[in-house]
Amino acid sequence: MHITSLPSPYGIGSMGKSAFDFIDFLKKAGQTYWQILPINPPGYGDSPYQAFSTFAGNPYLIDLDQLVQNGWLKQEELDRVSWGSREDQVDFSTMYDQRLHVLHLAWSLSLIHISEPTRPISIS
């Protein structure tokens, strides 16, 4: 089962809590392996087998809840996005349009956090 098939309120499964929960389920069931499709960015036809890179990770698999926990996104920003009309299918057009926009927003907000001045550390 591919990671994108995991349940998610954001239109596609990610390497977030549901992936860890699934791993826990597999362990309890006595499984020792989880075979997944490649996790590189999909290429032509949204196929992981037509990848543009064998070294890059798929940005669709980034856990948006973790970005909220890190303070790089606000939950309200995620709630404003329409993640697709069917919970049982991934709408890759929506992922391309919405998810990449949200990830760009998180990236820009993370740069703001990084560029904020910090108080010098005093060593006594």
Side-chain angles (χ1 to χ4, degrees):
M1 182 182 78
H2 195 253
I3 295 168
T4 59
S5 298
L6 293 167
S8 170
Y10 309 117
I12 194 169
S14 72
M15 292 184 169
K17 183 175 179 340
S18 61
F20 286 90
D21 290 345
F22 187 66
I23 291 169
D24 291 340
F25 165 77
L26 291 174
K27 183 176 180 179
K28 287 179 187 174
Q31 297 293 314
T32 55
Y33 294 97
W34 174 15
Q35 183 177 348
I36 59 173
L37 293 170
I39 57 173
N40 49 319
Y44 179 75
D46 296 315
S47 170
Y49 299 108
Q50 299 285 335
F52 298 116
S53 172
T54 58
F55 301 104
N58 186 338
Y60 297 159
L61 302 179
I62 294 172
D63 181 27
L64 298 181
D65 288 326
Q66 187 67 46
L67 297 178
V68 170
Q69 290 174 4
N70 287 347
W72 297 329
L73 279 176
K74 294 185 176 162
Q75 186 63 49
E76 301 82 43
E77 294 164 330
L78 295 177
D79 294 342
R80 281 187 247 148
V81 176
S82 171
W83 296 104
S85 59
R86 294 190 54 177
E87 291 185 16
D88 63 334
Q89 290 184 348
V90 175
D91 182 344
F92 282 98
S93 176
T94 298
M95 289 301 103
Y96 183 80
D97 293 338
Q98 301 294 347
R99 191 143 183 130
L100 293 181
H101 171 75
V102 167
L103 291 173
H104 186 268
L105 176 63
W107 172 77
S108 64
L109 291 174
S110 72
L111 291 179
I112 292 170
H113 290 267
I114 291 170
S115 65
E116 290 175 352
T118 58
R119 194 174 79 195
I121 297 174
S122 171
I123 301 176
S124 304

